[in-house]
Amino acid sequence: MPVPAPYSHTGAAPGGASAPAAHATRAPAAVPSPRRSAESAALSAGVPRIDDPREMAPADARELSKVFFQRLRSLTEGTAEYQYVRNTLIEMNASLVQYAVRRFRTREGCDIEDIVQVGTIGLIKAIDRFDPARENEFSTLAMPYITGEIKRHFRDTSWAVRVPRRLQELRIDIAKAKESLTSELDRSPTVADLADHLGLSEEEVIEGLFAANAHTSGSLDAPQAAPYEYGGGQTEGHTLAEVMGEDEPAMELVEDIQTLAPLLERLSERERRMLGMRFGQELTQAQIGAALGISQMQVSRVLNRILGHLRDSMLEDGPQATGRAASVR
């Protein structure tokens, strides 16, 4: 079925009648393309239009950056012209970020894309703070900003346990001092050597050494490397959680026995026999009294005296007690 042509604003209806103005159609407004917007912004800013700033040669980017910086300082912040010039400067000098990131590529646990983004933040800060009137090279200001932002990122995110910034910086100072003193003394430096070299107390150096342990952590479930039984080399062994030691409940019993043995040797034969009958054979006090020819009251009194003496002797600090339990009377 043929579709009737729409009415125009000034044309007539198909039957010859004029179309009402309320039913007239209007042509959609033209939307400027991003390329045309960029060209317009570049023209308004009085700078050349650059299609792909990231592909420029470093020498060309360096020379054009001077022109763009001069123009950036004369534009009003927030305008389209200002944004175009600023964004073009960021892209033209992105190679500085790539250059700064190279030294961190071998660092464990770092994502290069994240580091590039962090370095770009430093580049933007440098662009916003650069003053072309000083007639300095932009890279002289940009590199410290970029590397500083990356180091700050590592300092804030790479520590397994969060420690104060003072201790983070102290760890770096100690590492540098160790390297310097090792070559100077031809041996590993002691805590006293490090304290004297850094002008700190030994307690502060020890605190920094302990803080360095919080920089990295290991997984309890990660397999540990173990040597081959034959042929050398290494293979994956048990996880750390499987080989870690834990408190042995029977160890306290062993320690008590080792402490109690010499105390028992100092008791009389009759006292040791009484203890054996009570705790070894598990006889009652009445049965012990009948076997020894004494009353149950005497058995109770003597057992309490012996046990009290053994308990006090085991709890003593220093040399074991040399006293002797009172004899049964």
Side-chain angles (χ1 to χ4, degrees):
M1 179 177 181
V3 180
Y7 300 153
S8 64
H9 185 63
T10 57
S18 299
H23 296 284
T25 58
R26 299 179 181 179
V31 179
S33 65
R35 179 182 179 86
R36 183 173 298 178
S37 299
E39 290 177 352
S40 176
L43 183 61
S44 301
V47 293
R49 160 69 178 166
I50 303 175
D51 292 329
D52 197 349
R54 292 178 179 268
E55 298 299 325
M56 294 185 64
D60 295 338
R62 188 162 49 249
E63 293 302 320
L64 268 178
S65 293
K66 297 177 182 179
V67 177
F68 274 68
F69 272 119
Q70 291 290 348
R71 194 71 186 99
L72 183 67
R73 295 298 171 252
S74 64
L75 295 173
T76 303
E77 186 174 352
T79 61
E81 293 79 7
Y82 182 91
Q83 291 298 327
Y84 169 76
V85 174
R86 184 170 180 264
N87 292 341
T88 304
L89 280 170
I90 294 172
E91 293 189 45
M92 279 196 300
N93 293 278
S95 59
L96 295 176
V97 177
Q98 296 294 339
Y99 178 80
V101 167
R102 290 178 186 175
R103 59 183 293 191
F104 302 101
R105 289 185 181 274
T106 58
R107 191 162 185 148
E108 293 184 6
C110 72
D111 189 335
I112 295 301
E113 293 184 1
D114 291 343
I115 305 306
V116 170
Q117 292 182 7
V118 172
T120 304
I121 294 175
L123 174 64
I124 294 173
K125 291 181 178 179
I127 289 174
D128 292 339
R129 290 165 174 77
F130 182 69
D131 184 4
R134 296 178 180 271
E135 299 183 354
N136 294 326
E137 287 291 336
F138 172 65
S139 58
T140 305
L141 174 71
M143 292 306 296
Y145 270 91
I146 296 171
T147 56
E149 200 70 28
I150 294 174
K151 289 180 179 179
R152 188 178 300 109
H153 168 76
F154 281 126
R155 185 188 66 217
D156 295 339
T157 62
S158 63
W159 283 72
V161 178
R162 181 67 175 167
V163 300
R165 180 175 179 179
R166 172 182 63 85
L167 295 179
Q168 294 180 13
E169 295 175 347
L170 179 57
R171 167 184 169 271
I172 297 175
D173 293 338
I174 291 177
K176 293 179 179 177
K178 277 185 175 180
E179 184 178 355
S180 175
L181 291 175
T182 299
S183 70
E184 179 182 338
L185 302 175
D186 199 22
R187 60 174 173 81
S188 297
T190 63
V191 172
D193 295 331
L194 292 170
D196 183 64
H197 182 80
L198 296 172
L200 302 173
S201 65
E202 294 188 12
E203 290 75 14
E204 290 175 315
V205 173
I206 293 174
E207 185 182 18
L209 293 173
F210 275 116
N213 295 329
H215 187 261
T216 57
S217 63
S219 172
L220 294 176
D221 298 323
Q224 302 296 304
Y228 285 123
E229 294 184 3
Y230 304 99
Q234 290 187 335
T235 183
E236 289 187 355
H238 297 286
T239 63
L240 185 59
E242 295 173 333
V243 298
M244 284 184 63
E246 58 183 16
D247 293 337
E248 174 58 52
M251 183 60 67
E252 293 185 4
L253 178 60
V254 173
E255 293 178 351
D256 291 342
I257 292 175
Q258 294 297 323
T259 305
L260 184 62
L263 298 177
L264 293 175
E265 292 178 356
R266 298 188 181 97
L267 298 177
S268 66
E269 180 64 28
R270 192 174 188 182
E271 291 167 346
R272 287 196 296 272
R273 181 185 176 190
M274 186 178 294
L275 289 176
M277 295 171 69
R278 180 68 184 92
F279 298 103
Q281 303 175 27
E282 297 184 353
L283 301 180
T284 64
Q285 293 182 359
Q287 291 173 327
I288 296 173
L292 298 178
I294 57 178
S295 66
Q296 178 182 350
M297 183 67 66
Q298 288 177 299
V299 172
S300 175
R301 185 170 58 250
V302 172
L303 284 175
N304 288 336
R305 185 185 306 134
I306 295 174
L307 295 177
H309 168 74
L310 295 175
R311 186 182 302 109
D312 293 340
S313 300
M314 292 180 66
L315 295 177
E316 285 182 0
D317 295 331
Q320 296 174 341
T322 57
R324 178 182 176 278
S327 300
V328 178
R329 297 177 182 177

